[in-house]
Every structure is written in structure tokens, then in C-alpha cells.
Amino acid sequence: AQTVTQSQPEMSVQEAETVTLSCTYDTSESNYYLFWYKQPPSRQMILVIRQEAYKQQNATENRFSVNFQKAAKSFSLKISDSQLGDTAMYFCAFMRDSNYQLIWGAGTKLIIKP
Amino acid sequence: GAGVSQTPSNKVTEKGKYVELRCDPISGHTALYWYRQSLGQGPEFLIYFQGTGAADDSGLPNDRFFAVRPEGSVSTLKIQRTERGDSAVYLCASSPWTGGATDTQYFGPGTRLTVL
């Protein structure tokens, strides 16, 4: 069975700083997909960034980038120039290529301080 | 266009009662998913619909839980004989069907269910 682990329950940084959120996963699959979702207090999950396991290049979306280490089964999220609006819960999620279930970590609460 | 909507936003019920939670997906999205998020945890998959049929209901915890999507659009999650352990946020998501696992799942704001 696949598992996703987020070892940082909470993180706090000053506005404009860079912050990295950690995620590790366990799977025997060779092809799969990894995601970072943001959940603000409104509860609505919002996709931040996605990575296909067969792609060696790390995904980037504006201020958000990932460090995908397939051999180490690590998938960290880096947020550059953090903004107050980045304050939220961040969830790492895994999806096997053969089905459509998202398997989620427990989340990291990120607080951006002014 | 409009996103995924869920009603009610909050539902308080008593142990043993029956509840229905509604999800209205993004127009044109053929795939629909239900997840349950307990306090302090990540969501857990419950069921996935492709059109009107439940393509994967392996995440439903027991036979008290049932979901329908009769016309391939709106879905209702039904919980019978509610228990206090059913208290959670129930999230619904939809995605367009492109035939690949790279479909982005778009989430609604969830229904917070509290069983007293």
C-alpha cells in the first residue's frame, strides 16, 4: 500500500522569505503522480503543483517549485518570496498511474508572518 | 464558470440519524470523487464516479455509507445510522474525463458533519 508522510506539522516564516515543506512517500510503483494542494481556512483544496514521476525535470509554477528525488522517494515544495496569502494547510498527495485515488499526507500548517 | 458546490456547508445531527450530503460538480465534468477529512488529517478517498456509475467504491468504510449520481451530474452521499466517528469534513471533487490520471481534481468547500 502507498503511504505519504509529512513530517512537519507546522512551520512559520516571515513574509518574503523562502520556505520548504517536506514530503516522503512509499510505493513499489514505477509510474505515478505527486501533488501539492493548499487548503486555506475556507476548506477548499486548491492544486498548487503537480509532478509526473517519469519526468526528471522538477515542476515549477511561478513562486512554487518542487525538488523531486525519485530514488529517495522525496517530494518537497519550495515557496519563494512567501506572501501572507500563502498561509494555509499544505497537503502532499500521491496517485498511482492505474487509478484515480489521491492518497494524502497529514498536512503541514504554514503560517506567513508580516 | 462556477466551481464545485456542496450543500449544506455545515450539518449537525444526532447519533443514529440519517443524513444526505450533496455535491454539484463543475458543468461537463464526468468524473466525481468523494473524500472524508477527519480533524487534523489529510483526506481519505471514499468513492469515485464515472458518469452515473460508481467506478470505485473501495473507500466506503461500511454499508452505512452509500452514494448515488443518477443523472451523471449531481451526487448525493448518504449516511445511515450516523455515529460520532462519522464527524468530519466531507469533500467532493470533479474532473474532466481525458482518460488519464493527470486530470486535475477540482474540490468543493466541503460539508462539515458533526454527529452529537
Side-chain angles (χ1 to χ4, degrees), chain A residues 33 37 39 42-45 47 50 52 91 95-97 99-102 104-106, chain B residues 9 33 35 37 41-43 45 56 58 97 100-102 104-105 107-110 112:
Chain A
Y33 302 83
Y37 275 86
Q39 187 178 40
S42 66
R43 296 197 308 241
Q44 189 156 7
M45 287 284 187
L47 179 65
R50 173 174 59 209
E52 289 85 359
F91 291 92
M95 181 190 285
R96 288 161 46 196
D97 190 26
N99 77 23
Y100 307 90
Q101 295 183 25
L102 283 166
W104 303 77
Chain B
S9 177
Y33 314 78
Y35 293 86
Q37 186 176 19
Q41 298 181 25
F45 170 81
D56 182 353
S58 62
W97 180 247
T102 56
T104 294
Q105 295 184 21
F107 283 81
R112 182 180 299 281

Side-chain angles (χ1 to χ4, degrees), chain A residues 44-62:
Chain A
Q44 189 156 7
M45 287 284 187
I46 301 165
L47 179 65
V48 175
I49 200 165
R50 173 174 59 209
Q51 174 81 42
E52 289 85 359
Y54 63 87
K55 290 186 177 179
Q56 293 187 344
Q57 186 173 7
N58 288 324
T60 63
E61 287 287 343
N62 301 315

Side-chain angles (χ1 to χ4, degrees), chain A residues 69-83:
Chain A
Q69 301 289 329
K70 191 172 184 179
K73 296 180 182 176
S74 171
F75 182 60
S76 60
L77 174 69
K78 185 172 84 170
I79 305 174
S80 303
D81 186 26
S82 57
Q83 301 175 358

Side-chain angles (χ1 to χ4, degrees), chain B residues 46-58:
Chain B
L46 293 177
I47 187 169
Y48 154 59
F49 286 90
Q50 184 54 246
T52 59
D56 182 353
D57 64 358
S58 62

